[in-house]
Amino acid sequence: MNSQLSELEIVQNPALGAYAIWRFGLGFQADDSRPTTLPLVFLVLPLLFHTQTLEVIGSTQKASGLTVFAAKLGKERENLLAVHVRARSLRQLTLESIGLGIVSKLLSLDYNDASLRANALLGPSANPFLPERLRGLPKSADKIGHWFSNAGLSQVANILNVEF
């Protein structure tokens, strides 16, 4: 058995996914501490684990909002349409990431209303060391959380051309 991990496995793994979803949740909860609905979480990894999309998130001001981000991403229409395809292909990784986030106490799932809360952490675990190529991930996850919190589920779906 080959013990070497591919570049894809190094970057797209449940641990990093749990961290990204946790940071998204913190951004979502920042204004009013309301937890996110579970369907929105399935868009986090498809947006953050795609280099070109991550660059567009990074170049969009937090105050600009989801609509401006989608307009920038949609300059090449196939980039915007690909979000839905990536969301479908990353479903399993998202589920594994949510599970790991719950087990590690980064996240709490409310089964009654299908909402996910990012738990507050203190100390060094709140800001782990990330390699240079991933340094923009936490800030971008926070931005997405902020943008999604200011829009409803149907508005996010409409703007990003995704179906839940």
Side-chain angles (χ1 to χ4, degrees), residues 51-161:
T51 304
Q52 293 153 327
T53 305
L54 183 60
E55 288 172 3
V56 175
I57 295 167
S59 70
T60 306
Q61 296 297 317
K62 185 176 180 178
S64 297
L66 185 60
T67 306
V68 172
F69 160 70
K72 287 171 118 180
L73 188 63
K75 284 182 181 177
E76 293 180 33
R77 183 115 173 103
E78 63 274 0
N79 287 339
L80 188 57
L81 296 175
V83 173
H84 180 77
V85 174
R86 285 196 309 270
R88 290 180 57 102
S89 67
L90 290 173
R91 270 189 304 206
Q92 186 61 39
L93 180 59
T94 299
L95 285 170
E96 291 171 6
S97 299
I98 291 168
L100 185 59
I102 291 168
V103 168
S104 63
K105 302 202 183 325
L106 286 173
L107 305 167
S108 298
L109 180 62
D110 185 330
Y111 294 94
N112 294 323
D113 65 359
S115 64
L116 195 68
R117 175 170 299 286
N119 298 320
L121 292 183
L122 302 173
S125 60
N127 293 306
F129 173 78
L130 292 174
E132 186 64 38
R133 69 180 183 272
L134 297 176
R135 295 255 165 90
L137 185 102
K139 188 175 181 179
S140 294
D142 288 338
K143 276 186 200 179
I144 295 169
H146 176 75
W147 294 338
F148 284 14
S149 73
N150 291 318
L153 180 65
S154 61
Q155 188 177 12
V156 170
N158 188 32
I159 291 170
L160 295 179
N161 291 315

Side-chain angles (χ1 to χ4, degrees), residues 13-48:
N13 65 72
L16 185 59
Y19 175 71
I21 292 168
W22 175 66
R23 289 299 302 252
F24 162 80
L26 292 176
F28 191 96
Q29 295 165 196
D31 291 337
D32 61 9
S33 75
R34 169 179 47 101
T36 185
T37 58
L38 199 54
L40 290 177
V41 175
F42 284 88
L43 297 175
V44 175
L45 302 186
L47 293 172
L48 295 176

